[in-house]
Amino acid sequence: MSDVVTGDAVVLGLQPARLPSRALAVLIDLVVVWAAYLLVTLGLAVATASLDEAAVMALSIASFLLILVGAPIAVETLSHGRSLGKLACGLRVVRDDGGPIRFRHALVRGAMGVVEILMTFGVVACVASLVSERGRRLGDVFAGTLVVRERIPAARVLAVPPPPPWLVGRFAGLDLSAVPESLWLEIRQYLTRARELDPVVGRQLAERLADELVARTGTPPPPGVPADAYLAGVVAERQTREARRAFGSAGVTGIPGVAGMPGVPGVAGVSGVPGAVGVPGVAGVSGAVGALGMSASGFVPPVAPSTVGPAAAAPVVASPGAGGQEATAPATGFAPPA
């Protein structure tokens, strides 16, 4: 990436085009221009058969200048630096400050291109592009321009791994308003690449990020929680809040890394009461109504009366857990502490 500074002191991260892509773009442009020049030359030869030799020579020079020199200049000026070859290769000519080029920039580039590309068969342009740090030929240097890549492959987005089930809902009261986006980005990058790092380096990086996160939130992590698990839990809590703000409490189900975690039977949403979701032994909890014994669809299962004896007088609610088996829990809505 090249740091191009605009007139407003804004740094633009642009990727300069290198010699292979530029050579392919120039080759496409030359094929099109030379084909048009040959067609015009044949037409002029037929049309000027009755003229004298001086007139034919003048028309030949004029057609050479207009088609091989003037046409590329006009195309780059009107298209703001995107000729046919550059458009096919995803390139564009911009000024040194990142702005669109004008006629004077295209004129200098075209005039120097006659010497660099046409007269020397591209040898001078190739040498200058290889020597330049940003791949510029002499026409770019004199015109103050730069050829950059417009189409850059998008980076593959990796999913953030979910936190441990016993940490789900533990950070519901954490104040995340002071955490900057740059720190969130670092934490996400660490969590997605944690398995690729050396264990010692990864642990040190996780501890540093956790310290920065604690300094921003003002709340230390629970005792005994590893740094990587703490980061994953806080990121999951932030995703839950963003989803709740975007879709409301009814559309937060199925958030990756929170809902449907292994070892949490019957959990079908993330808007449950803090401390009830993910608690071992509390089966049948699904969404915000889990503490009331209701399912995610709002249907309250019937309470089966006790037929065993006084010891089993408490009604129970049965709901399928994560493994498809039925689990029972007291229908009082009380969630035992973790």
Side-chain angles (χ1 to χ4, degrees), residues 167-184:
L167 276 182
V168 176
R170 295 286 297 273
F171 305 104
L174 202 62
D175 183 14
L176 305 178
S177 59
V179 182
E181 289 295 331
S182 58
L183 183 56
W184 287 123

Side-chain angles (χ1 to χ4, degrees), residues 111-190:
M112 293 298 300
V114 174
V115 179
E116 286 186 279
I117 300 174
L118 297 180
M119 293 186 177
T120 61
F121 300 99
V123 176
V124 176
C126 291
V127 173
S129 181
L130 289 174
V131 172
S132 175
E133 181 182 359
R134 297 191 289 181
R136 303 199 300 176
R137 62 180 178 89
L138 294 181
D140 294 317
V141 175
F142 285 105
T145 57
L146 175 67
V147 181
V148 299
R149 297 187 62 88
E150 278 193 317
R151 295 197 298 264
I152 300 178
R156 185 168 58 96
V157 179
L158 301 177
V160 178
W166 49 273
L167 276 182
V168 176
R170 295 286 297 273
F171 305 104
L174 202 62
D175 183 14
L176 305 178
S177 59
V179 182
E181 289 295 331
S182 58
L183 183 56
W184 287 123
L185 179 60
E186 291 185 32
I187 295 175
R188 285 182 58 89
Q189 289 177 346
Y190 163 75

